[in-house]
Amino acid sequence: MPPEDPMTTKIYPGPVSSSSVPDIKHDDAGAQFVLESKGKWYHAGYHLTTAIVGPTILALPYVFRGLGWGLGFFCLTVMGLVTFYAYYLMSLVLDYCERNGRRHIRFRELAADVLGYGWMFYFVVFIQTAINTGISIGAILFAGQCLQLMYLSLLPNGSLQLYQFIMMVTVVFIVLSQLPSFHSLRYINLGSLVLSLGYTVLVVSACLYLATSKKAPPRDYSLDSSKAVSIFNAFNSISIIAAIFGNGILPEIQATLAPPATGKMFKGLLMCYSVIFVTFYAVAFSGYYVFGNKSTSNILKSFLPDSGPALAPDWVLAIAVIFILLQLFAIGLVYSQVAFEIMEKKSADTTQGMFSMRNLIPRIILRTSYMVLCGFLAAMLPFFGDISSVVGAIGFIPLDFILPMLLYNMTHKPSKKSTVYLVNIAIIIIFTGAGLLGAVSSLRKLILDAKQFKLFSNSIVD
């Protein structure tokens, strides 16, 4: 177990008393049925890896397109270090509250305990809900696109449209969503971890193959000639990195650990960031090395030019797409757990069994309705991927780059002259500014792309 910070001697009751923010109750169906606390540290590692390491890493060469080699690796490394540090601090805050009789299994409860039931509490609720629903929609959308790519590779003139593939994917999500608890996803998320390593190896191999072949495109790593556009692109890229590293559900993941949870999340973080180190750097370097400033927001699309054959063996790309499709199911399920927990807390009866008819029927109806809604929005808004940088700026940056430091300073009360306090304040200030500038840059790109948006379109806006 990692050593505790030396400034952890004082109990901080927060503006809300411990009696107002109780420990897990026996009548709390969201806790008993969805966030059941049975997991080991490595199960938390599986959940964390699925929440962070997904197909969004295939956008990293595109991120470097807006930053260049030096700034790209610098921002990727800094964001990785800051998020690891932030998630570690968040786990310490949760451990600290648990040791003092207040185990929090939800981000919103932790925020309420430390910050009070004011506007910040509702801000956390709104942002976390937007992130989780948005990722669920995005997972369905991109899973549908994966199916469409496989279909068109077999039948180039096929008549099926993107929304039809989204409907197929939604049906699978509806079935898988009936898995009752977050803990029940542990082996699915282990598979997700393996899949992320698998398609990383395939993508890197395809890049190396192309780099040594006669089909290799000319390499140009220059940034946009306009300084203003370059600045906007840079902050847009930073927002995308924030969205890629973000998860926004660490308290819910830690809730799946069997008590006492103290120290276990640190081991899970080490597992997760080991996978991050391998996958993020490998994809970013190989993809940007081959395609340079022609990199697209999904590196696989760079291998599929508008005319002519694919730039990598078809079987390599096909297997990579299958791996991504399968992992998207795990990602969508992980981020749906917060919605399921909220619904089940209101609808279920803990005096009856998890699989009793009293609880089973509402669960099927509510989870099916939620997935149908996400599937409908995915079909209607096939430009949803363009919102990822906006989500990173206004969602992930506050939750994952600012709040953990604020919560730690308020609970542990380190000396204002200590290194920990000063580093935390510096991170809060820097990432508040980066978040605001990133939001402006991301909204600018969204507006510029708006002319390409079409409801129920058959393709996704790049």
Side-chain angles (χ1 to χ4, degrees):
M1 185 180 79
E4 288 287 344
D5 185 88
M7 300 294 179
T8 60
T9 55
K10 228 171 146 182
I11 295 178
Y12 178 77
V16 181
S17 68
S18 59
S19 60
S20 301
V21 187
D23 200 359
I24 299 172
K25 291 182 177 179
H26 293 296
D27 60 352
D28 185 342
Q32 298 296 322
F33 294 161
V34 181
L35 299 177
E36 58 177 351
S37 303
K38 294 182 177 180
K40 307 291 187 181
W41 69 265
Y42 46 87
H43 297 148
Y46 304 159
H47 300 324
L48 275 169
T49 305
T50 299
I52 300 175
V53 186
T56 49
I57 68 173
L58 301 181
L60 285 172
Y62 176 80
V63 166
F64 274 48
R65 170 180 166 176
L67 296 169
W69 281 114
L71 191 56
F73 276 116
F74 175 79
C75 289
L76 186 64
T77 302
V78 168
M79 298 286 246
L81 292 173
V82 169
T83 51
F84 181 88
Y85 175 69
Y87 297 149
Y88 175 56
L89 290 189
M90 179 76 80
S91 71
L92 288 183
V93 172
L94 290 164
D95 290 347
Y96 185 70
C97 291
E98 181 179 351
R99 286 198 306 273
N100 291 293
R102 307 189 311 277
R103 187 182 188 195
H104 298 303
I105 63 171
R106 303 172 177 95
F107 208 137
R108 60 188 183 274
E109 290 177 352
L110 179 64
D113 187 9
V114 180
L115 303 172
Y117 280 98
W119 69 269
M120 182 59 78
F121 168 75
Y122 294 101
F123 173 78
V124 170
V125 171
F126 173 77
I127 291 297
Q128 193 185 35
T129 302
I131 287 173
N132 293 340
T133 305
I135 293 177
S136 297
I137 294 169
I140 292 174
L141 173 59
F142 292 114
Q145 187 189 34
C146 288
L147 274 184
Q148 184 187 41
L149 287 173
M150 290 189 286
Y151 171 74
L152 292 177
S153 67
L154 297 173
L155 297 171
N157 299 316
S159 60
L160 293 181
Q161 302 293 299
L162 177 60
Y163 76 88
Q164 293 170 299
F165 294 105
I166 289 174
M167 290 170 59
M168 298 176 197
V169 167
T170 302
V171 171
V172 178
F173 267 106
I174 289 171
V175 174
L176 292 176
S177 69
Q178 304 310 319
L179 288 168
S181 68
F182 205 154
H183 181 64
S184 64
L185 302 180
R186 61 195 182 280
Y187 296 120
I188 289 178
N189 290 337
L190 171 59
S192 169
L193 186 156
V194 174
L195 289 168
S196 67
L197 293 172
Y199 62 71
T200 295
V201 170
L202 291 168
V203 168
V204 172
S205 299
C207 288
L208 294 176
Y209 167 83
L210 182 58
T212 57
S213 74
K214 296 179 180 179
K215 297 183 289 184
R219 294 176 196 136
D220 183 0
Y221 307 113
S222 61
L223 303 178
D224 196 284
S225 57
S226 168
K227 182 170 285 188
V229 173
S230 292
I231 292 173
F232 278 120
N233 289 343
F235 279 103
N236 184 59
S237 293
I238 290 171
S239 297
I240 295 173
I241 295 176
I244 293 173
F245 271 109
N247 75 74
I249 55 172
L250 188 135
E252 285 79 4
I253 291 175
Q254 186 155 332
T256 65
L257 290 168
T262 302
K264 295 176 183 177
M265 185 56 76
F266 182 74
K267 297 178 182 178
L269 281 167
L270 288 178
M271 172 191 287
C272 174
Y273 274 76
S274 298
V275 178
I276 285 174
F277 179 78
V278 172
T279 55
F280 281 40
Y281 282 91
V283 171
F285 175 82
S286 61
Y288 188 60
Y289 173 73
V290 174
F291 294 104
N293 58 17
K294 300 300 180 184
S295 300
T296 60
S297 59
N298 183 337
I299 196 64
L300 288 179
K301 293 176 68 175
S302 299
F303 288 101
L304 301 170
D306 294 333
S307 60
L311 300 179
D314 290 335
W315 66 269
V316 173
L317 300 180
I319 295 175
V321 169
I322 292 171
F323 283 3
I324 291 168
L325 170 64
L326 294 174
Q327 194 198 27
L328 284 166
F329 290 118
I331 293 171
L333 291 174
V334 162
Y335 280 96
S336 296
Q337 296 306 306
V338 173
F340 296 163
E341 176 268 314
I342 292 172
M343 293 187 294
E344 206 135 323
K345 184 177 181 181
K346 301 293 185 182
S347 67
D349 181 358
T350 57
T351 63
Q352 301 191 43
M354 182 187 295
F355 297 102
S356 65
M357 294 302 292
R358 163 63 182 82
N359 291 325
L360 186 61
I361 293 175
R363 180 189 305 139
I364 292 173
I365 293 173
L366 289 171
R367 294 190 181 194
T368 298
S369 300
Y370 177 79
M371 285 303 177
V372 168
L373 175 62
C374 289
F376 175 77
L377 291 174
M380 185 175 72
L381 307 172
F383 45 85
F384 199 84
D386 207 40
I387 302 175
S388 62
S389 58
V390 180
V391 172
I394 66 174
F396 283 119
I397 285 182
L399 286 190
D400 295 326
F401 293 81
I402 297 174
L403 271 179
M405 288 71 180
L406 179 62
L407 295 174
Y408 183 87
N409 282 355
M410 292 185 70
T411 55
H412 289 65
K413 292 186 177 296
S415 166
K416 292 185 178 181
K417 296 181 180 180
S418 67
T419 302
V420 171
Y421 181 85
L422 295 175
V423 167
N424 289 351
I425 293 297
I427 291 173
I428 290 172
I429 293 172
I430 291 170
F431 281 94
T432 297
L436 292 173
L437 292 171
V440 172
S441 302
S442 304
L443 288 170
R444 171 183 172 272
K445 185 177 185 302
L446 198 64
I447 293 169
L448 292 175
D449 287 345
K451 61 180 179 294
Q452 304 177 53
F453 296 164
K454 183 180 178 183
L455 298 181
F456 298 101
S457 171
N458 193 41
S459 60
I460 297 177
V461 173
D462 187 12

